[in-house]
Amino acid sequence: MTGRLSLVLTTLLACSALSLVNAQYQARRLFIEIERAQAVTRQLEIEWSQLQLDQSTLGKHARIEANARRDLNMVPLTPARTQYITGEAK
């Protein structure tokens, strides 16, 4: 009887030890996955900041006006160049 009890306890102890090893392995794997996700998050935050800076730079009125003058040959509107269209009354 004592031999059988020892065998059962030894088997339970071995299963418990294997379960502990498996749990530690899973915890390490999940920790590595979290670290990778955090690194990706940091990189995306950096890219987002750069895109916001680019958007604010590209959207400035002076830059838009300079591009319109250079690329589209546009000139500012003056009262001398303004034409008013009036509708005829019926």
Side-chain angles (χ1 to χ4, degrees):
M1 183 85 161
T2 305
R4 183 176 282 168
L5 181 62
S6 294
L7 180 62
V8 169
L9 289 176
T10 303
T11 304
L12 287 175
L13 181 64
C15 289
S16 177
L18 289 174
S19 176
L20 176 66
V21 168
N22 186 39
Q24 287 180 339
Y25 171 76
Q26 294 295 331
R28 270 189 238 115
R29 189 179 58 78
L30 290 173
F31 179 76
I32 291 169
E33 192 174 323
I34 287 172
E35 288 293 318
R36 286 180 184 155
Q38 288 174 344
V40 168
T41 300
R42 284 189 296 272
Q43 183 61 33
L44 288 174
E45 286 174 352
I46 290 169
E47 288 178 21
W48 175 250
S49 297
Q50 290 173 346
L51 288 172
Q52 285 180 323
L53 180 63
D54 290 346
Q55 183 181 20
S56 69
T57 302
L58 294 174
K60 292 194 179 204
H61 180 71
R63 187 176 190 287
I64 293 171
E65 185 175 347
N67 284 345
R69 286 177 193 257
R70 183 186 66 239
D71 298 339
L72 303 174
N73 297 323
M74 296 178 87
V75 294
L77 188 62
T78 61
R81 297 187 57 214
T82 305
Q83 294 180 357
Y84 296 99
I85 300 174
T86 57
E88 295 180 19
K90 292 184 180 184

